[in-house]
Amino acid sequence: MIHDHNSLQNIQDEQNHSNFCITLNPLPDPLLEVLPAEAQQCFNEIEAATQRRDVHYIKRIEEFILEYPYLPKLYNFLEGLYIIDEQEDKAKKLAKIMYDKFPYYLFAKVAYAKCCMDAGRIDDFTRIFEGKSHLKELYPYRDEFHVSEFLAFTDVVFTHACHKKNFDLARKLIKELKSMPFDFDHVVEDLEARLERFEYPNRTF
């Protein structure tokens, strides 16, 4: 049920028959809460720059990671900006580093799984996600996920389904996104285009 633009959306996990929620609001992060005030301010600036896709912050994030190497979100921000800045080799190397350091961090799993699939190692997906294909199954102790987590996980599951030619699952994921009361139109359009390329690889687009 949606109460307002930023509130929670209940999702029914069909496999586990358990509910979880997605939210647009920031979720608590104990690692950030104990940072010194100056470091928290710097982190907030970096997060805002990442959301703006500002690649000029790459150097600053690299330096901040040296000071706070235990913050997984910094690696996620940096990997995303590397991709935007077309530094693909650095992005791939960082995805592996992030996964090795934080194997239970969702965005580390997603980034590394995508690298593996890009390299043709499709079945590594199962190992990375421990044979699980639902957020609540992967993190049973959590009842709430940020929308970015939900979309990242949906995207990587979709990509794996397409590689395995499980197009029924891919279409099901698209249908689920369409049914949700969020503005996922651009995401749906991207997935539909990718699905068509997987289904008809010889077609000229």
Side-chain angles (χ1 to χ4, degrees):
M1 173 169 35
I2 295 294
H3 300 289
D4 57 51
H5 180 67
N6 290 322
S7 63
L8 303 178
Q9 164 70 28
N10 282 321
I11 301 294
Q12 182 70 34
D13 184 318
E14 295 180 359
Q15 179 169 322
N16 292 341
H17 304 290
S18 58
N19 288 320
F20 66 88
C21 296
I22 61 173
T23 181
L24 298 174
N25 295 318
L27 296 176
D29 188 333
L31 292 176
L32 298 180
E33 292 170 0
V34 298
L35 288 179
E38 185 177 344
Q40 287 188 21
Q41 181 179 350
C42 184
F43 178 89
N44 292 338
E45 291 174 2
I46 287 172
E47 184 174 34
T50 303
Q51 292 172 350
R52 297 194 307 270
R53 302 165 63 89
D54 188 347
V55 298
H56 296 98
Y57 269 73
I58 286 176
K59 183 66 175 177
R60 188 170 180 182
I61 301 174
E62 290 173 339
E63 293 172 349
F64 202 53
I65 283 177
L66 294 177
E67 191 171 357
Y68 296 97
Y70 56 85
L71 296 178
K73 287 183 178 179
L74 292 176
Y75 297 77
N76 182 41
F77 295 160
L78 183 57
E79 192 253 354
L81 288 182
Y82 278 155
I83 292 173
I84 292 169
D85 200 39
E86 299 183 353
Q87 298 188 49
E88 297 294 336
D89 288 343
K90 284 189 175 182
K92 290 177 181 178
K93 290 178 182 177
L94 186 61
K96 181 64 166 63
I97 291 171
M98 179 166 52
Y99 179 70
D100 287 343
K101 287 178 69 72
F102 314 106
Y104 299 109
Y105 179 49
L106 176 61
F107 290 103
K109 288 178 177 291
V110 169
Y112 185 53
K114 287 184 176 181
C115 287
C116 290
M117 289 190 283
D118 287 345
R121 304 198 309 273
I122 311 303
D123 292 334
D124 281 5
F125 176 93
T126 301
R127 172 180 58 82
I128 294 168
F129 287 99
E130 305 163 41
K132 299 166 184 175
S133 58
H134 296 266
L135 271 176
K136 183 64 175 176
E137 186 182 17
L138 194 62
Y139 302 101
Y141 54 90
R142 292 184 58 182
D143 297 317
E144 187 177 356
F145 297 90
H146 191 264
V147 65
S148 62
E149 295 177 301
F150 175 75
L151 290 177
F153 186 69
T154 298
D155 182 88
V156 76
V157 172
F158 172 89
T159 301
H160 180 253
C162 287
H163 277 295
K164 301 295 284 187
K165 301 190 185 302
N166 188 350
F167 300 131
D168 287 341
L169 174 57
R171 279 187 283 270
K172 180 181 177 182
L173 293 170
I174 291 173
K175 183 178 179 180
E176 181 182 56
L177 290 176
K178 287 181 176 179
S179 71
M180 298 176 66
F182 292 105
D183 182 12
F184 289 156
D185 289 350
H186 66 293
V187 177
V188 168
E189 289 175 3
D190 175 66
L191 296 189
E192 288 178 333
R194 286 161 56 191
L195 175 59
E196 188 173 4
R197 289 195 292 271
F198 271 102
E199 285 192 288
Y200 306 102
N202 297 321
R203 179 181 296 178
T204 302
F205 293 96

